[in-house]
């Protein structure tokens, strides 16, 4: 910390996105006045993206919520009364106590957003309350399939090794665009460096994304068909004998079964399904297998499908066949240097476990083998709406905007309207907050104390976020949950935020206070950890054939299933909706539904965008910048056309997360350009995770007529 003219510079970690970039924050008179990349950060080395660079604008934005608000009229009337924290917390805790007594703890649900600093605190709060019902809009659609499959297949979570002495020779970007969406396991600057150092890139993406543009090979795939492509690549690597024989023999189980299983999944078979030329599939498989060390980056495009388990499994197997696990410059197993968060899961009763919505069916989402057991989103919102199998009466959301980020926004709206209590904690007013009973003002990342294990889930290093300033009466989410727990006398409510952080840091022999002084701890990476004790799977090997899955009633070897709504599966519907729709490709300027009110970011991307190929645009008389109506069997939205050859002709790509803070509430334009009006939350879901389909649906487009 340095001081000059009343200005202090304090080291912390940016969390405008999932976070991870080291930052030097300048504060003057209690206000953040400047942020700058920290050159000493071992991860980001001084780099920051434009969202992070806008932190000053976000922190000091005039629309920040500054005080707790209680509804003072009908829901959504826009009438609010400022109340004290004491009043808000007393009211809410009394209501929660009442619901628990009248309808059981499961009638209270908790919601949150993606990868925030308080993520695990929400899980703990659910366990303290005794409710099995919490959710986050990612989960089955984001990360849980990758983490779970990684654990089942290799006994741990893997991330690309951009951090050591050896740079990867090849990087596969599978439904992942880290040059825009990082950090999501990696940091943009490090991926860019690896590519600049000569790594051969292979992008598997229906769009020639920012990352695909830097790749040697682009496989333009039909959305939703990734498992077929992965199976064909396995087929090529085995048939051409270019797999890592020593690794496969010594460290895997089930190779012979896999070989037989994939024999019919030829590149020619996959071409008909994926629209990728078989010669390109063969070239990609060879390039990946023959250029070691290689990283295989997987994004959440492979999870937003009702075949998420088997898609992710097929891709996971590619890493094992090529022996790219836990080697320098390959995909490395996490070191998990800090202790797991004390979620108090032991406090959840047997009865509560049985009542977790959707858990009986989606065993890897909500059952005992699940990585982080949660409720199935469609089942939870259905219970709010219909009272089946029991009524969910209250929802407390800590940083989420489900009206824009959960599939089928209209049903989400109907569900939220049925609640007896909706509490939303956020930095800003949102369309979801606008229909709440209470709104609580959340602290921004410069106002928060927390640990950040990096990369998320792998936790190869740990950094300290520190409280630098205070805005209005904003409070860190953890504080709110701590205060509610204390008022309700819940188990674990005597443990403070610092107690929890110190417990997590214990294996490193330091406290949070000491970590703050050091900024980070980053031990040297230990490669090939499996050579000591084997992999952390039942066979101590990589499980190409997964018996655990078989025992749960799921296919032990990966399979392909056509998406339930697609040109091949529903050809009649495809006559009316002839294009394949994909949603949500990340944009540099925004984090999901956030930042539309931040002038410097919005200026760069003022309108919601649809990407389509010139051939399709011509068919519909659409030209660059026209407003276009995109429709699916669920509804229609308007978007501005970006006509580009960087997308497959038959595919339409739309932004997600759009609403318009500048418009009037309570809707703030959420029914105009919101991708989730078009998406589907109906079955079939992935049989293990319950994932629904956000990519690879059907749509049509037309020019808007005024
Ligand atoms: N169609 C479609 N839908 C998608 C996706 C897609 O690709 N396509 N992607 C899905 C995925 S992968 C995800 S992870 C979800 C994300 O879904 P969400 O997490 O719901 O999305 P966000 O807009 O990032 O966050 C919601 C709110 O959190 C607030 N916020 C930010 N920081 C804090 C904080 O520290 N505390 C509190 N209390 N509030 C805070 C923001 O102001 C914002 O209003 O969206 C999903 N929805
Ligand atoms: N700037 C910014 N960064 C973010 C986020 C954000 O909102 N903004 N969100 C964060 C979150 S929660 C997440 S989950 C990650 C997600 O980040 P990524 O995993 O990179 O996901 P996307 O950018 O949504 O999609 C990656 C690519 O998949 C392609 N794609 C679409 N459908 C398919 C398909 O069916 N198959 C294949 N193979 N490719 C397909 C898209 O064209 C896109 O280029 O980003 C994180 N980082
Ligand atoms: S990539 Fe994320 S952590 Fe890094 S500067 Fe941007 S918003 Fe902040
Ligand atoms: Mo996500």
């Amino acid at each position: 910390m340095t001081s000059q003219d009343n200005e202090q510079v304090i080291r912390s970690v940016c969390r405008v996105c999932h976070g991870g970039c080291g930052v030097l924050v300048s504060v003057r008179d209690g206000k953040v006045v400047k942020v700058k990349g920290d050159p000493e950060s071992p991860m980001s080395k001084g780099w920051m993206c434009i969202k992070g660079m806008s932190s000053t604008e976000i922190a000091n934005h005039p629309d920040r919520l500054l005080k707790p608000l209680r509804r003072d009229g009908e829901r959504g009337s826009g009438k609010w009364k400022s109340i004290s924290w004491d009043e808000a917390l007393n009211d809410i805790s009394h209501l929660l106590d009442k619901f628990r007594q009248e309808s059981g703890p499961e009638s209270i649900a908790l919601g949150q957003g993606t990868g925030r600093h308080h993520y695990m605190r929400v899980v703990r709060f659910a366990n303290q309350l005794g409710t099995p019902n919490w959710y986050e809009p990612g989960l089955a659609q984001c990360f849980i399939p990758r983490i779970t499959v990684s654990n089942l297949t290799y006994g741990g979570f893997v991330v690309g090794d951009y951090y050591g002495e050896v740079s990867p020779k090849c990087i596969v970007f599978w439904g992942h665009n880290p040059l825009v969406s990082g950090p999501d396991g990696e940091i943009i600057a490090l991926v860019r460096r690896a590519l600049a150092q000569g790594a051969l890139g292979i992008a598997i993406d229906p769009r020639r994304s920012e990352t695909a543009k830097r790749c040697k090979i682009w496989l333009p795939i039909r959305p939703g068909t990734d498992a077929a492509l992965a199976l064909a690549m396995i087929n090529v690597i085995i048939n051409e004998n270019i797999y890592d024989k020593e690794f496969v023999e010594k460290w895997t189980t089930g190779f012979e079964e896999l070989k037989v299983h994939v024999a019919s999944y030829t590149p020619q078979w996959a071409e008909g399904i994926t629209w990728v030329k078989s010669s390109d599939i063969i070239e990609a498989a060879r390039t990946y297998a023959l250029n070691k060390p290689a990283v295989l980056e997987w994004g959440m495009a492979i999870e937003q499908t009702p075949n998420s388990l088997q898609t992710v499994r097929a891709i996971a197997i590619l890493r094992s066949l090529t022996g790219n696990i836990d080697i320098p410059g390959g995909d490395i197993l996490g070191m998990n240097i800090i202790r797991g968060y004390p979620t108090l899961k032991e406090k959840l009763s047997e009865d509560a476990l049985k009542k977790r919505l959707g858990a009986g069916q989606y065993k890897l989402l909500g059952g005992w083998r699940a990585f982080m057991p949660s409720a199935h989103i469609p089942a939870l919102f259905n219970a709010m709406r219909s009272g089946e199998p029991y009524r969910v009466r209250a929802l407390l959301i800590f940083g989420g905007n489900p009206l824009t980020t959960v599939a089928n926004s209209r049903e989400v709206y109907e569900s939220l309207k049925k609640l007896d209590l909706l509490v939303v904690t956020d930095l800003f007013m949102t369309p979801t907050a606008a229909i709440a009973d209470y709104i609580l003002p959340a602290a921004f990342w410069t106002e928060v104390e927390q640990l950040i294990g990096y990369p998320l889930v792998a936790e190869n290093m740990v950094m300290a976020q520190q409280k630098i300033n205070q805005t209005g009466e904003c409070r860190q989410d953890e504080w709110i949950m701590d205060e509610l727990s204390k008022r309700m006398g819940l188990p674990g409510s005597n443990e403070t935020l610092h107690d929890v952080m110190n417990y997590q840091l214990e294996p490193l022999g330091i406290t949070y206070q000491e970590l703050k002084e050091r900024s980070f701890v980053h031990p040297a990476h230990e490669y090939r950890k499996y050579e000591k004790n084997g992999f952390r799977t039942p066979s101590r090997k990589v499980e190409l054939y997964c018996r655990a899955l078989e025992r749960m009633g799921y296919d032990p070897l990966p399979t392909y299933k056509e998406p339930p709504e697609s040109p091949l599966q529903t050809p009649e519907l495809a006559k009316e909706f002839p294009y394949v729709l994909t949603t949500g490709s990340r944009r540099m300027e925004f984090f999901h539904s956030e930042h539309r009110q931040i002038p410097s970011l919005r200026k760069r991307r003022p309108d919601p965008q649809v990407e389509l190929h010139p051939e399709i645009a011509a068919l519909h008389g659409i030209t660059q910048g026209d407003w276009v109506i995109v429709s699916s069997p669920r509804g229609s939205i308007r978007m501005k056309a970006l006509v580009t050859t960087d997308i497959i002709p038959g595919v339409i790509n739309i932004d997600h997360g759009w609403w318009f803070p500048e418009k009037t509430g309570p809707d703030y334009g959420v029914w105009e350009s919101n991708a989730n009006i078009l998406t589907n939350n109906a079955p079939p879901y992935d049989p293990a995770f319950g994932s629904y389909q956000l990519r690879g649906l059907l749509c049509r487009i037309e020019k808007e007529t005024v």
Side-chain angles (χ1 to χ4, degrees):
M1 193 201 286
T2 59
S3 173
Q4 200 185 36
D5 300 337
N6 189 29
E7 188 170 304
Q8 283 188 309
V9 180
I10 300 173
R11 179 167 272 143
S12 194
V13 186
C14 174
R15 293 207 79 166
V16 171
C17 74
H18 293 142
C21 297
V23 189
L24 297 171
V25 183
S26 306
V27 263
R28 197 187 303 130
D29 302 326
K31 273 203 158 184
V32 176
V33 290
K34 197 169 132 201
V35 290
K36 192 172 129 211
D38 176 5
E40 285 174 40
S41 160
M43 290 288 149
S44 50
K45 300 182 167 66
W47 179 87
M48 284 182 87
C49 82
I50 48 164
K51 290 186 299 307
M53 293 301 288
S54 308
S55 292
T56 318
E57 230 178 312
I58 305 172
N60 301 315
H61 196 285
D63 295 350
R64 278 282 302 274
L65 295 164
L66 299 174
K67 275 171 160 293
L69 301 174
R70 182 168 57 208
R71 173 164 71 81
D72 198 25
E74 288 291 293
R75 252 205 202 147
S77 62
K79 296 198 183 107
W80 299 97
K81 187 173 183 300
S82 285
I83 54 172
S84 68
W85 272 107
D86 250 348
E87 256 182 295
L89 295 165
N90 286 340
D91 281 11
I92 296 167
S93 56
H94 283 141
L95 285 165
L96 295 181
D97 265 335
K98 176 170 130 72
F99 298 142
R100 280 209 310 170
Q101 273 162 27
E102 286 175 4
S103 318
E106 66 278 5
S107 67
I108 302 168
L110 300 184
Q112 62 167 317
T114 176
R116 306 281 177 201
H117 60 88
H118 57 276
Y119 196 102
M120 298 309 288
R121 181 67 187 89
V122 175
V123 181
R124 176 179 164 107
F125 190 39
N127 292 332
Q128 288 180 292
L129 282 164
T131 176
N133 294 322
W134 72 274
Y135 84 96
E136 176 249 297
L139 287 173
Q141 281 65 239
C142 174
F143 249 118
I144 287 297
R146 276 175 282 170
I147 298 168
T148 312
V149 162
S150 221
N151 285 340
L152 284 168
T153 312
Y154 329 120
F157 187 60
V158 294
V159 289
D161 183 20
Y162 301 105
Y163 313 104
E165 305 276 298
V166 181
S167 193
K169 272 201 195 146
C170 171
I171 312 174
V172 179
F173 299 98
W174 204 309
H176 193 37
N177 185 16
L179 291 188
V180 168
S181 63
D184 206 41
E186 68 302 277
I187 278 182
I188 296 180
L190 301 186
V191 178
R192 210 183 274 150
R193 185 182 65 182
L195 288 167
Q197 285 174 348
L200 298 168
I202 303 174
I204 299 164
D205 197 310
R207 299 185 311 133
R208 199 195 318 256
S209 68
E210 293 78 352
T211 307
K213 284 185 182 142
R214 308 251 180 142
C215 288
K216 177 172 175 263
I217 300 176
W218 173 40
L219 303 185
I221 190 169
R222 170 163 70 99
T225 65
D226 296 271
L229 182 68
L231 286 165
M233 285 176 67
I234 298 174
N235 171 296
V236 173
I237 291 171
I238 294 181
N239 279 348
E240 296 196 359
N241 264 312
I242 49 177
Y243 59 93
D244 181 333
K245 290 181 198 66
E246 199 187 322
F247 183 85
V248 166
E249 203 164 295
K250 200 158 166 204
W251 292 112
T252 69
T253 61
F255 178 73
E256 287 311 317
E257 289 97 328
L258 177 71
K259 188 174 173 177
V260 173
H261 176 75
V262 298
S264 59
Y265 297 132
T266 61
Q268 292 71 26
W269 164 82
E271 177 171 333
I273 293 170
T274 60
W275 301 350
V276 181
K277 279 197 253 151
S278 57
S279 54
D280 288 350
I281 300 177
I282 294 167
E283 191 197 351
R286 287 179 186 157
T287 305
Y288 175 58
L290 297 173
N291 288 283
K292 241 170 127 173
V295 163
L296 196 163
E297 288 278 5
W298 47 9
M300 119 268 66
I302 60 172
E303 298 168 316
Q304 298 187 340
T305 144
N307 193 28
S308 62
L309 168 67
Q310 298 304 347
T311 304
V312 179
R313 268 277 292 161
I315 297 171
I317 283 176
L318 283 166
R319 291 196 188 98
S320 340
L321 287 180
T322 53
N324 271 304
I325 300 174
D326 224 17
I327 60 169
D331 285 308
I332 49 177
L333 285 161
M335 301 267 286
N336 299 106
I337 64 167
I338 53 173
R339 271 210 192 116
Y341 195 95
T343 58
L344 300 177
K345 66 171 189 276
E346 65 284 358
K347 302 287 175 204
L348 211 54
S349 69
E350 280 296 314
D351 180 54
L353 285 174
K354 283 195 208 115
K355 288 184 173 151
R356 179 174 281 135
L357 291 161
Q361 227 168 331
Y362 308 110
K363 300 191 187 96
L364 291 178
L365 177 72
W368 70 272
R369 284 299 300 257
F371 173 70
M372 210 161 43
S374 64
H376 185 228
I377 294 175
L380 177 64
F381 281 81
N382 179 51
M384 294 175 203
R385 209 167 51 249
S386 72
E388 294 296 330
Y390 54 81
R391 253 194 97 202
V392 168
R393 298 177 64 186
L395 173 64
L396 277 67
I397 302 176
F398 294 92
N401 191 2
L403 266 187
T404 63
T405 49
V406 169
N408 198 342
S409 310
R410 289 200 193 278
E411 264 191 25
V412 171
Y413 182 76
E414 293 310 319
S415 314
L416 298 180
K417 294 286 272 192
K418 284 272 172 72
L419 290 165
D420 290 339
L421 175 69
L422 176 61
V423 180
V424 175
T425 304
D426 206 299
L427 302 164
F428 290 98
M429 180 64 82
T430 65
T432 306
I435 54 169
D437 301 293
Y438 291 84
I439 305 181
L440 306 177
F444 186 57
W445 68 262
T446 59
E447 300 153 18
V448 158
E449 292 189 307
Q450 203 31 289
L451 307 177
I452 168 162
Y454 195 83
L456 293 180
V457 187
E459 293 165 349
N460 294 331
M461 67 174 292
V462 62
M463 299 175 268
Q465 252 184 294
Q466 45 183 325
K467 179 163 172 167
I468 295 167
N469 68 314
Q470 170 73 44
T471 299
E473 291 180 26
C474 297
R475 294 285 186 275
Q476 170 162 6
D477 295 78
E478 291 90 329
W479 179 87
I480 302 172
M481 289 178 258
D482 285 352
E483 288 299 313
L484 288 171
S485 317
K486 274 193 247 166
R487 278 172 171 74
M488 297 176 73
L490 300 178
S493 55
N494 55 339
E495 267 181 306
T496 65
L497 172 67
H498 279 235
D499 290 340
V500 170
M501 293 194 288
N502 290 339
Y503 163 84
Q504 289 195 272
L505 287 170
E506 227 169 64
L508 298 174
I510 55 168
T511 61
Y512 172 68
Q513 197 54 38
E514 285 158 345
L515 181 68
K516 256 181 20 178
E517 280 150 28
R518 286 166 64 168
S519 298
F520 60 84
V521 174
H522 186 202
H525 192 82
E526 203 188 322
Y527 294 100
R528 295 192 171 88
K529 295 181 274 296
Y530 56 86
E531 285 182 349
K532 268 198 216 146
N533 297 312
F535 288 89
R536 293 169 66 187
T537 60
S539 62
R540 309 314 273 171
K541 293 184 175 182
V542 169
E543 310 220 328
L544 301 176
Y545 186 101
C546 185
R547 295 209 186 278
L549 285 176
E550 191 172 42
R551 276 193 295 274
M552 281 181 270
Y554 305 122
D555 287 333
L557 288 166
T559 45
Y560 173 70
K561 216 191 282 153
E562 182 65 22
E565 181 177 303
S566 87
L568 304 190
Q569 191 67 26
T570 49
E572 276 307 306
L573 195 63
K575 285 184 191 151
E576 202 187 332
F577 299 95
Y579 305 120
V580 178
L581 174 72
T582 194
T583 71
S585 305
R586 303 313 187 232
R587 304 298 184 194
M588 202 56 156
E589 293 79 6
F590 305 130
F591 199 64
H592 300 285
S593 71
E594 286 192 77
H595 307 133
R596 305 311 191 275
Q597 65 279 77
I598 308 303
S600 65
L601 296 173
R602 183 70 181 277
K603 202 165 63 196
R604 296 168 59 118
R605 196 172 278 280
D607 303 306
Q609 199 167 277
V610 51
E611 285 164 273
L612 71 165
H613 193 274
E615 282 171 22
I616 307 299
L619 275 178
H620 298 275
I622 294 166
T623 53
Q624 200 68 276
D626 282 347
W627 281 98
V628 166
I629 303 292
V630 187
S631 308
S632 81
R634 271 77 48 193
S636 298
I637 57 171
R638 64 195 293 268
M639 298 251 149
K640 208 162 198 184
L642 175 73
V643 180
T644 170
T645 50
D646 290 333
I647 188 164
I648 312 178
V651 176
I652 304 291
N653 178 55
I654 58 171
D655 291 352
H656 81 304
W658 271 93
W659 60 288
F660 302 89
E662 68 276 16
K663 297 200 173 174
T664 46
D667 296 346
Y668 299 102
V670 76
W671 305 113
E672 293 176 25
S673 304
N674 169 1
N676 284 321
I677 290 174
L678 306 189
T679 56
N680 198 359
N681 64 345
Y685 308 114
D686 179 80
F689 295 109
S691 318
Y692 51 61
Q693 204 179 350
L694 295 174
R695 305 196 178 203
L697 295 154
L698 291 176
C699 74
R700 67 164 179 254
I701 53 161
E702 61 215 302
K703 193 169 159 169
E704 188 180 51
T705 49
V706 196

